[in-house]
Amino acid sequence: MASDAGVYKISDDIAIVQSVDFFTPIVDDPYEFGQIAAANSFSDLYAMGARPITAMNIVCFPGKDISNDTLKKILLGGIDKIHEAGAVLLGGHSVKDPEPKYGLSVTGIVHPERFVSKGGARPGDRLVLTKPIGTGVLATVLKAGLLPDDLYKKAAKTMKALNREASEAMMEIGVSAATDITGFGLIGHALEMAEASGVQIAVDAGKVPHIPEAASYFMKGFAPEGDYANKNFCKKKVHTQGRIKEGVLGLLFDAQTSGGLLIAVSEEKTEKLLRRLSKKGLTGFEVVGLVQEGPPGITIRP
């Protein structure tokens, strides 16, 4: 089974879904880093339609080289996001490490016959992306000390937003498949869905929601190393048709942190899903592609 997290059936009505994720700081504010890391950790559960119930902290911290106040702010950001997700913190584990790292081991619940995997996409399905891409590039600009405050706020806002409402919407109407967009970028994760489902996926580059300034920074060379690794890894199964703006094409491979959900939904349910996402207060989502018959791979169209 192709899925973003592990599933274990414990009764006819309940299965637990478990995942773990942690990483180094990608923003300067420790509280926001805690929020982003926690939101990112929950995304695998949301991609499978699970409701988070518990979390455990994973902390790597250098100790004397960084103040304990910084650590407290990271943990406070994490626990606030845990509470927002409706889960409880059970504890965790910490180790000394020269480079700070934070994340969560998370557990959720779902009906054992209703969870969503990345392997169920069917020809004719539409693909809906629920968050804009481009945060990887902006994080690189931030590390260089060149990111304007308004763009920092825009990137932080999308990264610390839970995928809860998007997950609830897809579970309410019923969808074919889903995955969350993180380190492999939109194309990398779409390729995972294509291979797991045995289908061809067409991505319409011009319809993909993205942070416009990120495309401009990409053209100036502010792309994380992971973007080039993603493109190189996928290149044998990714084909491009027509003329696509280089900056936008670059963002399709941009390594995201706490990105949105990529949802495969039948044509007849697509508008219903979009209305449900809007009703839940989400913005910036778009239909970005089509599932087709054919050998597993990705076609990028203008």
Side-chain angles (χ1 to χ4, degrees), residues 112-173:
E113 296 180 0
R114 290 197 65 220
F115 69 85
V116 180
S117 77
K118 67 180 72 173
R122 299 177 297 225
D125 284 349
R126 272 43 179 178
L127 291 173
V128 176
L129 180 63
T130 65
K131 282 187 185 182
I133 59 174
T135 57
V137 167
L138 295 186
T140 302
V141 180
L142 176 64
K143 290 178 181 178
L146 299 173
L147 189 66
D149 187 58
D150 62 328
L151 285 182
Y152 172 89
K153 291 179 179 178
K154 183 183 293 188
K157 181 179 180 180
T158 186
M159 288 189 289
K160 64 188 180 185
L162 292 171
N163 282 314
R164 179 181 57 193
E165 288 78 11
S167 181
E168 291 173 350
M170 75 176 190
M171 294 302 286
E172 288 167 3
I173 72 159

Side-chain angles (χ1 to χ4, degrees), residues 18-265:
Q18 294 186 303
S19 184
V20 60
D21 207 335
F22 63 99
F23 49 79
T24 58
I26 58 169
V27 295
D28 293 332
D29 184 276
Y31 177 78
E32 285 194 317
F33 168 52
Q35 287 186 302
I36 292 168
N40 181 76
S41 297
F42 283 122
S43 283
D44 284 340
L45 302 190
Y46 288 132
M48 297 190 68
R51 176 173 63 85
I53 56 173
T54 66
M56 300 186 74
N57 280 329
I58 298 170
V59 180
C60 301
F61 205 69
K64 63 180 180 179
D65 295 327
I66 300 179
S67 72
N68 286 336
D69 183 61
T70 297
L71 176 57
K72 290 178 181 178
K73 290 178 180 177
I74 293 172
L75 296 179
L76 180 59
I79 197 168
D80 283 351
K81 193 58 63 171
I82 292 168
H83 290 163
E84 183 183 338
V88 295
L89 180 67
L90 296 183
H93 187 67
S94 61
V95 297
K96 277 192 173 183
D97 194 316
E99 189 171 25
K101 302 175 184 69
Y102 176 65
L104 301 174
S105 172
V106 294
T107 299
I109 57 174
V110 71
H111 193 285
E113 296 180 0
R114 290 197 65 220
F115 69 85
V116 180
S117 77
K118 67 180 72 173
R122 299 177 297 225
D125 284 349
R126 272 43 179 178
L127 291 173
V128 176
L129 180 63
T130 65
K131 282 187 185 182
I133 59 174
T135 57
V137 167
L138 295 186
T140 302
V141 180
L142 176 64
K143 290 178 181 178
L146 299 173
L147 189 66
D149 187 58
D150 62 328
L151 285 182
Y152 172 89
K153 291 179 179 178
K154 183 183 293 188
K157 181 179 180 180
T158 186
M159 288 189 289
K160 64 188 180 185
L162 292 171
N163 282 314
R164 179 181 57 193
E165 288 78 11
S167 181
E168 291 173 350
M170 75 176 190
M171 294 302 286
E172 288 167 3
I173 72 159
V175 301
S176 303
T179 190
D180 62 316
I181 307 303
T182 52
F184 295 141
L186 174 60
I187 296 301
H189 288 287
L191 180 58
E192 286 185 329
M193 183 182 287
E195 292 181 326
S197 303
V199 296
Q200 174 80 202
I201 285 179
V203 174
D204 297 319
K207 296 180 180 178
V208 174
H210 64 278
I211 301 172
E213 296 88 348
S216 299
Y217 278 116
F218 178 87
M219 294 300 295
K220 296 176 183 178
F222 289 98
E225 185 177 342
D227 289 16
Y228 298 104
N230 288 342
K231 189 172 185 178
N232 185 61
F233 180 79
C234 298
K235 64 182 181 181
K236 291 184 179 180
K237 293 189 176 182
V238 176
H239 306 281
T240 303
Q241 295 178 347
R243 299 182 61 182
I244 302 170
K245 292 181 180 179
E246 186 176 347
V248 173
L249 181 61
L251 292 189
L252 298 183
F253 296 91
D254 188 36
Q256 303 298 286
T257 297
S258 191
L261 299 186
L262 182 66
I263 303 169
V265 58

